[in-house]
Amino acid sequence: MHPPLPFNARAARTLREKLGMAHGHVAYGMRASYGMTHITSDHVAAWERGTALPTADELTALAGALWCAPGELMGHARTLREHRLARGLPVEDVARATGLTLDAYHHMEETGVWTGDTRQSAALGSVLGLPARDFIAITGLENELARLLTEAVSTRWQAHIRAIAKLVAIDRRDLKDPLRTMQQDYQTLLAATLSRAGGSTASGEDGRRYLDEIVDHFWTLLPDH
């Protein structure tokens, strides 16, 4: 069972109004061009009010009727399926581009668990145009990224920058300042904890909390990725 699509009701209404279309015009376009014979103006109005959500097929047809990409009618895509829908790509195209059988790719999309190898993962990122943060989340590499970042901030970040750059596919030059800042922030937290403890062994609660959220800290310092 898939979670509800992150539908952007305001975007749908704005696009329709810019085209000078009434709800009935949109519904007619979906029926005539996309075979959505069940769609009426009431459906379109309910989607725009946020009292109902379109299915994946209805979203694709609605985008066609509004002359836009499906992604323009969605909030931030979270799952493999949502990223594919946002791009308006059929399952077959993504399976072919990644070198997977249709059944294998479909299973990954249904379970939400990506199990492709390095080459297939790179192809997935390319065909879906995944930003680095989404690529790491979709391919299940967040734990590995957290491990590398933890080692980087608690030891010498310079020794880990190459592995991190390779994992997230970001130029090492773009990682220097974020990693340096993260190490400084972490060390500052540790120093403050020790100071509060009067120089004795401290709980390190602030430091542990920082490490628990280290992936989020990393992406916050890389807003364009």
Side-chain angles (χ1 to χ4, degrees):
M1 186 70 178
H2 296 290
L5 291 174
F7 182 67
N8 190 330
R10 178 179 294 181
R13 182 177 66 252
T14 299
L15 286 165
R16 176 182 59 77
E17 291 174 346
K18 284 183 177 179
L19 291 170
M21 300 171 72
H23 294 139
H25 296 143
V26 178
Y28 175 79
M30 293 177 67
R31 292 195 302 268
S33 300
Y34 299 93
M36 294 280 161
T37 56
H38 65 288
I39 295 297
T40 67
S41 59
D42 289 341
H43 288 90
V44 179
W47 296 335
E48 291 185 6
R49 288 196 303 269
T51 56
L53 290 172
T55 65
D57 289 341
E58 289 168 348
L59 177 73
T60 299
L62 177 62
L66 293 176
W67 294 87
C68 69
E72 295 180 61
L73 299 176
M74 295 173 66
H76 183 72
R78 303 153 299 184
T79 66
L80 182 57
R81 175 174 177 263
E82 289 172 6
H83 278 287
R84 177 181 61 78
L85 291 172
R87 286 275 170 174
L89 295 171
V91 174
E92 294 82 359
D93 285 5
V94 181
R96 186 181 308 110
T98 54
L100 292 163
T101 66
L102 182 58
D103 286 344
Y105 174 76
H106 190 261
H107 178 72
M108 294 181 197
E109 196 170 279
E110 289 298 305
T111 60
V113 179
W114 173 257
T115 57
D117 60 26
T118 302
R119 181 186 60 79
Q120 292 164 336
S121 295
L124 179 75
S126 177
V127 71
L128 295 183
L130 295 176
R133 183 170 190 166
D134 292 328
F135 175 77
I136 292 296
I138 289 295
T139 54
L141 294 172
E142 281 192 333
N143 287 340
E144 176 63 9
L145 177 59
R147 182 187 70 80
L148 289 172
L149 291 173
T150 296
E151 292 180 0
V153 302
S154 57
T155 57
R156 291 182 65 254
W157 61 263
Q158 296 91 336
H160 301 280
I161 190 170
R162 182 175 182 178
I164 294 171
K166 181 177 180 181
L167 186 70
V168 299
I170 295 175
D171 193 287
R172 275 181 279 179
R173 289 171 295 184
D174 295 330
L175 296 179
K176 289 181 179 180
D177 286 344
L179 291 179
R180 184 184 297 112
T181 298
M182 291 173 68
Q183 185 182 58
Q184 291 170 348
D185 290 346
Y186 178 64
Q187 296 299 332
T188 298
L189 288 172
L190 292 186
T193 300
L194 289 171
S195 176
R196 289 197 301 271
S200 61
T201 301
S203 65
E205 185 64 30
D206 290 341
R208 283 199 295 271
R209 188 180 300 113
Y210 187 89
L211 294 182
D212 287 342
E213 301 169 352
I214 196 164
V215 173
D216 288 334
H217 291 303
F218 177 68
W219 293 123
T220 298
L221 292 170
L222 287 162
D224 295 332
H225 297 84

